[in-house]
Amino acid sequence: MGAGVMQRKGGGKGRRSRGRGRPAAMAEINVTPFVDVMLVLLIIFMVAAPLLTVGVPVELPKTAAQALPSEQEEPLTITLAADGSIQIQTTVTPADQLIAKLRAVAAERDSDKIFLRADGAIPYERVMQVMGALNAAGFRNIGLVTDTGGPTLDGQSR
């Protein structure tokens, strides 16, 4: 048997090297799933946001006026529908309660700006009556809402 080589049991590894083969615990967070979820939510909100416009379907008259600049506070909108109903935002309000409700709303708001949307079939007299009620309730800055692209007084449309 001569000069043989002596081997240890366990494949050549001694007791000291038992824990060296294990990887250390990672102290990092994998953010890839988080970023994926955020991108999906961003796309969903980008698609859903235009569908959330507040309002009642009204056939607005077309004018050549430009759009008003936007503000920080959500604009208050009064709508005169073709059937004659009056709505504050989306809540139907009887005409005899309009001034009282608008005064309560005006007390909570910083701005006196209000937008009036009236169907083109509503008589001018009715629109002016509602504008008088808005003024009596404390709203002095009244914007009339129209669609763009209508004819100008010189007979040309934009």
Side-chain angles (χ1 to χ4, degrees):
M1 304 224 246
V5 179
M6 218 174 196
Q7 291 183 336
R8 294 186 200 167
K9 292 182 180 177
K13 294 186 178 179
R15 287 189 172 204
R16 288 187 226 174
S17 65
R18 178 177 281 178
R20 291 183 184 170
R22 295 182 193 161
M26 288 182 46
E28 298 175 5
I29 298 173
N30 187 1
V31 295
T32 303
F34 175 73
V35 172
D36 290 344
V37 169
M38 289 299 113
L39 289 175
V40 168
L41 289 174
L42 176 68
I43 292 170
I44 289 171
F45 287 126
M46 287 174 56
V47 170
L51 303 175
L52 298 176
T53 56
V54 174
V56 179
V58 174
E59 186 64 36
L60 296 173
K62 297 194 181 298
T63 64
Q66 299 296 321
L68 293 174
S70 62
E71 296 181 2
Q72 279 73 357
E73 190 175 36
E74 180 182 350
L76 182 61
T77 304
I78 303 297
T79 303
L80 291 173
D83 62 359
S85 65
I86 301 173
Q87 299 175 1
I88 300 175
Q89 297 294 74
T90 57
T91 306
V92 178
T93 305
D96 57 346
Q97 297 177 6
L98 181 65
I99 294 176
K101 287 191 177 187
L102 286 174
R103 283 185 179 153
V105 170
E108 298 175 4
R109 294 180 61 86
D110 296 330
S111 173
D112 69 340
K113 179 170 259 182
I114 190 166
F115 293 110
L116 177 60
R117 301 173 68 228
D119 193 284
I122 299 289
Y124 180 73
E125 178 183 13
R126 183 68 174 146
V127 175
M128 291 300 109
Q129 289 171 349
V130 171
M131 285 184 70
L134 296 177
N135 195 315
F139 290 96
R140 306 286 186 260
N141 193 352
I142 302 170
L144 299 175
V145 179
T146 61
D147 279 337
T148 58
T152 61
L153 290 178
D154 61 1
Q156 300 177 7
S157 62
R158 292 185 183 189

